[in-house]
Amino acid sequence: MKENSAVKKSIFMFLSLIIACSFGRFGNGCENICSGHCLYNETCNHVNGLCSKGCAPGYYGSLCSKVCPSGSYGLNCSGTCSRNCIGTCGNVDGSCKCVPGFSDPPNCTTECLPGFYGINCQYRCSGQCVNNENCSRFDGSCSLGCKDNYVGVACDSLHDSSTSASTVGLAIVVAVYSVCLMAALIFFYLRPQHCKTSKERKPKFAPKDTKSVQSSSPQTNYLNDVTHNYQDLDDDDKDSYELIQASANLCAYQKIEHTT
């Protein structure tokens, strides 16, 4: 059985060498597929898969099955991608997107014509540069700036003056409000802290006479509340008493002015 199988296999291989494989296949039993990258689209050899005239542009190797290394392209991968390409170029013809300011791939060595800029020189300058100068071929900017009422890198946007005026007005209002708020906080923290009514104050001097003087007006009654007769004091206590009495009088007058 084994001998018969080996004989059949040998006969099959012999016949496959004599009878050409169908288009696009090669090898023992026609099991392999040609790369499809033979020059001029010819089919590969039905025995070994080689391309008799070489590889098509963009491919190399004995079977023309390998893509050109990055940075090269063309027949036998002999071409070199332009340094003005964005990234690598195409392996077949070297085509690529040119960096801003250049056009005409695959070489990308042609500078943009005046009035154009950007990738592959696809954008037109705005025409709003000062003194009508040509814009930069790289980004469309104007070296001397934009004409009046135009803004943006490429001077291609109209300036909205109403929005600017509103912004300035809002900034002024916020600034004035901030100043007023700061002034109020400073006044609050720096105002006299010792102005308290006689009921809130607890003097260290015991009143000698608790009799109050009657008056026909609330203002006079309030003044009388803070003008008690105190016992005899020494010099230090007199100074303290005078300070307390002055503070009380000040607060009283402030209250009178507020009520009137």
Side-chain angles (χ1 to χ4, degrees):
M1 293 291 294
K2 291 183 179 180
E3 293 179 356
N4 292 336
S5 177
V7 170
K8 290 180 180 179
K9 185 175 182 180
S10 299
I11 294 173
F12 179 79
M13 293 177 63
F14 176 75
L15 292 175
S16 66
L17 293 175
I18 297 175
I19 302 174
C21 296
S22 60
F23 184 83
R25 305 186 74 89
F26 72 95
N28 295 333
C30 302
E31 296 176 349
N32 302 314
I33 299 175
C34 295
S35 67
H37 301 306
C38 292
L39 188 62
Y40 307 128
N41 290 323
E42 78 168 341
T43 187
C44 69
N45 185 280
H46 70 281
V47 177
N48 54 26
L50 299 178
C51 299
S52 61
K53 296 180 180 179
C55 302
Y59 298 89
Y60 74 105
S62 60
L63 300 179
C64 299
S65 58
K66 297 179 180 180
V67 177
C68 289
S70 177
S72 62
Y73 70 95
L75 189 63
N76 298 322
C77 303
S78 58
T80 302
C81 296
S82 171
R83 62 181 181 179
N84 293 326
C85 286
I86 297 177
T88 188
C89 66
N91 65 300
V92 177
D93 59 0
S95 61
C96 66
K97 284 186 176 181
C98 303
V99 296
F102 294 90
S103 64
D104 295 336
N107 296 322
C108 294
T109 55
T110 302
E111 295 183 358
C112 294
L113 295 175
F116 294 87
Y117 73 96
I119 297 175
N120 292 328
C121 305
Q122 59 184 314
Y123 303 111
R124 185 183 293 272
C125 295
S126 66
Q128 302 302 329
C129 294
V130 172
N131 297 334
N132 294 320
E133 69 165 343
N134 289 321
C135 71
S136 167
R137 73 174 191 270
F138 302 107
D139 60 4
S141 61
C142 302
S143 61
L144 299 178
C146 306
K147 290 181 180 179
D148 292 342
N149 299 324
Y150 284 90
V151 295
V153 175
C155 299
D156 54 357
S157 299
L158 279 172
H159 177 63
D160 191 347
S161 58
S162 61
T163 302
S164 298
S166 300
T167 303
V168 172
L170 180 61
I172 293 175
V173 171
V174 171
V176 172
Y177 178 79
S178 300
V179 171
C180 293
L181 180 60
M182 185 63 67
L185 291 174
I186 293 175
F187 174 79
F188 177 79
Y189 283 108
L190 296 183
R191 78 187 193 284
Q193 299 296 321
H194 55 275
C195 292
K196 298 181 180 178
T197 63
S198 58
K199 293 181 179 180
E200 295 173 334
R201 187 184 304 107
K202 294 181 180 181
K204 68 176 182 177
F205 315 109
K208 188 174 182 180
D209 184 9
T210 58
K211 184 178 180 180
S212 300
V213 180
Q214 301 296 325
S215 176
S216 60
S217 65
Q219 293 84 350
T220 305
N221 289 335
Y222 183 82
L223 290 174
N224 289 335
D225 288 341
V226 295
T227 56
H228 301 295
N229 292 323
Y230 290 90
Q231 62 185 358
D232 294 335
L233 307 171
D234 55 24
D235 292 339
D236 293 337
D237 290 340
K238 286 181 180 180
D239 293 339
S240 300
Y241 172 73
E242 290 174 358
L243 178 60
I244 294 173
Q245 188 174 25
S247 299
N249 291 337
L250 176 60
C251 293
Y253 281 112
Q254 289 178 347
K255 184 173 182 181
I256 291 172
E257 291 178 359
H258 179 70
T259 57
T260 58

